Amino acid sequence: MSEETIAPAMWEKLDRSASETEVIATPSLTYWQDVRKRLWANKPAVVSIGFIVLLILAAIFGPIFSPFSYSDQNLKLANLPPVFEPYRVTDSSGASTRFFLNASNFNLYQVSEGGQVEEIIRGERKDMLKKRQAFKFGDQAVTLDYSSLPAKLLNADGSVLRPEGLQWNMTYLFGTDQLGRDVLVRQMIGARISLTVAFVATLVNFFIGIFYGGIAGYVGGKTDAVMMRIVEIISTIPLTLYVILLMVVLDSGLISIVVAIGSVFWVDMARMVRGQILMLKSQDYVAAARTMGAGTGRILTKHLLPNSVGPILVTLTMLIPSAIFIESFMSFIGLGVTPPLASWGTLTSEAVETLRAYPHQLFFPAAAISLTMFAFNFLGDGLRDALDPRLRK
Amino acid sequence: MATYVIQRLGLMLLTLFAIVTLTFFLMHAVPGGPFVSERMLAPEIEASLNAKFGLSDPIWLQYLHYLRGIAMFDLGPSFKYPGVSVNQMIADGLPVTLRLGLLAVICVVALGVPMGIVAALNRNKWPDTGVMLLATMGVAIPSYVIATVLLYVFALKLGWVPTFGLDDWRGYILPVLALAGFWISFVARLSRSSLLETFEQDYMTTARAKGLRPGQVLFKHGLRNSLIPVVTVLGPVVANLVTGSFVIEQIFALPGIGRHFVLSITNRDYTAIMGITIFYAALLMVMILIVDLLYLWLDPRIKLSGQSA
């Protein structure tokens, strides 16, 4: 066995005051700072917040800056696609015309070099029997042949005219609908209506739910039992049916939808608030506040509700997509906003009418609803995780 | 058990009474009457029509009449189709709606649960990602959008299934899928997370340690315990699938109750709206009760707490 020698300096006593055992390395965070940190670390939630903010901005400002109005019809330029294949015909004098063919209604539309739609091109008389129509561009003749689908354009010598590739519709970025209205601006108006309905209805739910649940939870006893029995009865009623009934009674329109959705879906909120209040009211700080002479109102608004903000926020975020859902559902079955106003539901149902000929019209409203639902769901999940103190790292 | 059932039935009757009352007074709050139309009827004719349908009685008498009708399962005549009773409309549509709803429930269980299992077993690998992507889409996209997209792709473009009607079994595929889409996704997500939680439990380790085959571990110990939350949501699922069908019936032009309901809304056929609402509500409550009772029977732990409550 060898002996290890330890330098005498190692046996010196450490200076106690210099020890760093009691120093907390990470900065101390308040609850909300912590929540914010966790929320920002959640990528889908952050992307969703970005999407929702963009959507809200587009809904507020989009229609103001759009050159079109959501209600102006232009039947000559109806059902235009957002993307088309332009053709070019040059006559002997060198003047060239660009146009595209709408393969579903067999019309030709003149377009500029930049992709602006200019006007519908008038052709010669249609030959209904042969399913042909002749068009004149200066001294050049082009025949539209739709006897066999897809329709094709023929030169004077019978050869097929070739398109110049794809081009985006620069006048109507999303195309036009069956009445020649700009789909983009209607989409933004739809977002405006759908989001307004969702936010206002959720707010109404929020106030009724907080009021009802707060009273039931705080007062407790017999009042609570009766109030909760009522909630139990309401929650067994199929609520969608009641929204429909209310809509039938109130007649369609923006305000009725808000009233109908707002007055029916507060039950979950009330239950949740009651549970929170029941849990919190037995806490010591409530007793302390009461000893110091705080009244019921003060305890509720200053102590109990602020402490249940987290779960309330999560429930709210989850209520918004279901309100959007119900609104679009109502509009879809014809109980929504009245035309020419549009919501995502009415836009979808209008698009379904023309599904056979113009399937692309379904894309934008369907995508808008679905993406918004995604965003609110992700945001709700993210908020729930961020607000849960057990997940604190 | 018996007291529990009686309690539930009592609550159900109370709820139904509330629904009938609410529906009746809501529908009577609508301005105008069924015979007020653009074609001005002679006042005598209107009066006699009102008398025939009991509309000139004071409202409480009408209400009592209606209640008596409901108690005898008579929902009254339709206002728009003379000679057709609301009962008849429901009897016409019920088989279609029930068949769709039950097929959709079967789909939810038969597709949702296996999807969840596959995802949980392959956690963070491509089957999991695929299933979760599909499930997230299913939860976020409204059923009528799913229905129209399915209709466009499979019926119009590919022509694999008919666009409407239920003449053969292929006609059922799209409506059932569209109807069940949301809940398949929901159940897949739920069973995945619940199964993953079960995998963490000690008894799973024990089962593996004592040398059971992986299949036995999964089916005997894992699944049985992790499916309890899935069974819990089945009540609302059944209820939602049966009411959720009215848009689907509308899109696929299926002659179910949902279509009658939407039609009577557009026709403003008030008695039909009232009758179908009440019938729907009753149907849903009975369904939820049946599922809850099944649940009691399936899970002995709940039975005990149900009795003590």
Side-chain angles (χ1 to χ4, degrees):
Chain A
M1 264 174 70
S2 66
E3 274 190 16
E4 216 171 315
T5 51
I6 293 163
M10 295 286 276
W11 296 104
E12 291 294 313
K13 235 180 164 182
L14 272 178
D15 186 6
R16 251 198 109 94
S17 63
S19 80
E20 292 181 345
T21 47
E22 294 297 312
V23 174
I24 295 169
T26 50
S28 116
L29 296 173
T30 65
Y31 176 61
W32 288 105
Q33 282 172 327
D34 204 41
V35 166
R36 207 179 315 145
K37 214 176 110 194
R38 256 175 297 170
L39 191 62
W40 285 126
N42 184 336
K43 287 275 160 352
V46 174
V47 173
S48 304
I49 293 176
F51 177 80
I52 293 167
V53 169
L54 274 183
L55 194 68
I56 294 174
L57 289 180
I60 298 173
F61 298 110
I64 303 174
F65 294 119
S66 168
F68 304 103
S69 119
Y70 69 92
S71 56
D72 282 353
Q73 305 179 2
N74 185 352
L75 291 174
K76 281 183 184 160
L77 297 180
N79 291 320
L80 296 185
V83 179
F84 46 73
E85 294 181 310
Y87 296 85
R88 183 189 299 277
V89 170
T90 313
D91 70 1
S92 52
S93 67
S96 75
T97 316
R98 289 184 94 224
F99 58 89
F100 72 92
L101 162 69
N102 189 340
S104 297
N105 60 8
F106 311 126
N107 282 328
L108 300 188
Y109 300 92
Q110 193 173 331
V111 289
S112 71
E113 292 297 325
Q116 309 271 349
V117 177
E118 281 161 352
E119 59 181 344
I120 189 167
I121 298 173
R122 295 249 162 259
E124 316 278 301
R125 251 183 97 82
K126 269 186 184 164
D127 185 343
M128 295 291 198
L129 283 178
K130 284 187 183 152
K131 297 196 172 173
R132 286 163 170 274
Q133 188 176 17
F135 290 88
K136 285 252 185 292
F137 298 97
D139 53 8
Q140 290 281 329
V142 170
T143 314
L144 168 68
D145 178 5
Y146 55 97
S147 55
S148 64
L149 294 176
K152 49 189 179 290
L153 288 162
L154 304 172
N155 280 320
D157 56 5
S159 61
V160 176
L161 201 61
R162 296 269 162 227
E164 292 184 323
L166 285 174
Q167 189 167 33
W168 200 273
N169 185 340
M170 294 313 285
T171 313
Y172 302 102
L173 287 173
F174 286 7
T176 56
D177 68 0
Q178 48 180 329
L179 295 173
R181 298 173 291 200
D182 180 35
V183 171
L184 177 61
V185 74
R186 285 182 67 72
Q187 198 65 56
M188 291 189 292
I189 285 286
R192 197 185 261 189
I193 300 295
S194 294
L195 290 180
T196 310
V197 169
F199 284 130
V200 178
T202 306
L203 218 61
V204 173
N205 279 317
F206 167 72
F207 282 116
I208 301 181
I210 292 240
F211 190 70
Y212 196 94
I215 289 181
Y218 189 77
V219 178
K222 279 227 173 66
T223 323
D224 180 37
V226 172
M227 284 174 96
M228 280 302 118
R229 194 35 66 92
I230 293 174
V231 160
E232 208 172 301
I233 290 180
I234 293 177
S235 64
T236 45
I237 298 176
L239 295 176
T240 324
L241 291 180
Y242 269 83
V243 176
I244 293 177
L245 278 193
L246 279 173
M247 290 300 297
V248 172
V249 177
L250 296 171
D251 258 341
S252 34
L254 194 55
I255 296 172
S256 344
I257 300 185
V258 171
V259 170
I261 299 179
S263 59
V264 163
F265 285 96
W266 50 270
V267 176
D268 285 339
M269 181 63 93
R271 273 200 177 135
M272 199 275 307
V273 171
R274 170 183 172 268
Q276 283 288 316
I277 301 274
L278 270 184
M279 190 184 77
L280 291 173
K281 79 172 179 185
S282 54
Q283 304 268 322
D284 289 341
Y285 65 85
V286 178
R290 194 171 294 126
T291 346
M292 287 192 281
T296 305
R298 193 181 160 80
I299 289 179
L300 263 178
T301 54
K302 290 275 169 187
H303 296 279
L304 297 182
L305 289 180
N307 277 302
S308 34
V309 157
I312 291 178
L313 212 59
V314 174
T315 315
L316 275 184
T317 336
M318 292 304 194
L319 263 176
I320 293 174
S322 53
I324 294 179
F325 214 83
I326 298 281
E327 186 275 331
S328 68
F329 181 79
M330 303 304 289
S331 299
F332 191 82
I333 59 175
L335 284 171
V337 290
T338 37
L341 218 57
S343 80
W344 286 335
T346 51
L347 289 173
T348 320
S349 74
E350 280 167 17
V352 169
E353 284 167 25
T354 53
L355 184 71
R356 242 169 217 275
Y358 310 101
H360 65 264
Q361 290 182 353
L362 180 66
F363 177 77
F364 295 106
I369 297 181
S370 308
L371 286 178
T372 313
M373 303 294 285
F374 272 128
F376 277 105
N377 277 317
F378 283 135
L379 179 59
D381 284 347
L383 268 180
R384 194 182 48 212
D385 291 347
L387 288 163
D388 189 348
R390 282 173 302 174
L391 292 178
R392 191 173 182 162
K393 282 175 200 134
Chain B
M1 184 79 178
T3 39
Y4 176 74
V5 174
I6 290 171
Q7 253 181 12
R8 284 291 303 263
L9 281 175
L11 189 65
M12 218 174 94
L13 280 181
L14 195 66
T15 313
L16 258 186
F17 175 73
I19 288 175
V20 173
T21 311
L22 199 63
T23 315
F24 181 86
F25 287 103
L26 266 179
M27 284 293 107
H28 280 257
V30 179
F35 307 116
V36 181
S37 62
E38 309 86 67
R39 293 176 294 142
M40 288 291 282
L41 291 172
E44 299 84 32
I45 297 176
E46 202 181 318
S48 80
L49 274 172
N50 277 339
K52 178 171 181 250
F53 288 104
L55 291 175
S56 45
D57 296 338
I59 187 139
W60 59 268
L61 200 64
Q62 290 184 40
Y63 174 60
L64 288 183
H65 267 293
Y66 197 69
L67 271 188
R68 198 180 64 189
I70 299 280
M72 288 163 22
F73 298 105
D74 176 15
L75 295 167
S78 154
F79 270 156
K80 284 287 140 111
Y81 304 107
V84 179
S85 72
V86 179
N87 285 27
Q88 232 168 307
M89 284 167 100
I90 291 174
D92 279 350
L94 188 61
V96 173
T97 302
L98 274 189
R99 226 176 295 150
L100 273 185
L102 290 181
L103 281 173
V105 173
I106 293 171
C107 261
V108 166
V109 177
L111 290 178
V113 175
M115 274 166 74
I117 297 176
V118 167
L121 287 180
N122 297 288
R123 194 180 183 183
N124 294 334
K125 285 185 230 150
W126 67 265
D128 183 26
T129 324
V131 165
M132 288 318 284
L133 193 73
L134 213 64
T136 314
M137 274 166 59
V139 172
I141 303 176
S143 62
Y144 57 84
V145 173
I146 297 181
T148 19
V149 171
L150 285 178
L151 190 66
Y152 181 72
V153 175
F154 293 104
L156 282 182
K157 282 282 141 179
L158 299 173
W160 291 352
V161 287
T163 45
F164 62 87
L166 294 172
D167 296 332
D168 66 313
W169 61 272
R170 287 181 308 162
Y172 282 99
I173 299 176
L174 295 188
V176 167
L177 272 186
L179 189 58
F182 177 88
W183 291 106
I184 292 176
S185 319
F186 188 86
V187 166
R189 279 163 67 126
L190 190 66
S191 44
R192 172 183 178 271
S193 61
S194 158
L195 203 57
L196 284 180
E197 217 166 273
T198 315
F199 284 161
E200 307 280 301
Q201 303 285 325
D202 291 339
Y203 60 78
M204 293 295 283
T205 323
T206 315
R208 267 195 298 273
K210 72 184 183 190
L212 291 184
R213 270 174 283 120
Q216 269 179 315
V217 177
L218 174 66
F219 286 103
K220 282 214 155 156
H221 296 265
L223 266 189
R224 270 183 102 166
N225 287 297
S226 59
L227 286 187
I228 289 171
V230 177
V231 180
T232 324
V233 296
L234 273 188
V237 169
V238 172
N240 271 290
L241 284 178
V242 177
T243 32
S245 68
F246 39 74
V247 172
I248 304 295
E249 285 174 18
Q250 181 81 356
I251 292 175
F252 290 97
L254 307 178
I257 307 182
R259 205 167 128 74
H260 279 306
F261 192 54
V262 176
L263 266 181
S264 46
I265 290 169
T266 23
N267 285 340
R268 292 291 191 265
D269 188 345
Y270 293 111
T271 42
I273 298 176
M274 268 159 82
I276 296 176
T277 306
I278 292 166
F279 177 76
Y280 254 141
L283 184 70
L284 295 193
M285 281 188 293
V286 172
M287 292 276 193
I288 292 180
L289 182 67
I290 292 175
V291 173
D292 281 358
L293 291 180
L294 270 180
Y295 184 40
L296 279 186
W297 179 64
L298 280 176
D299 189 0
R301 283 176 297 183
I302 306 293
K303 196 180 282 176
L304 285 174
S305 66
Q307 255 169 356
S308 63

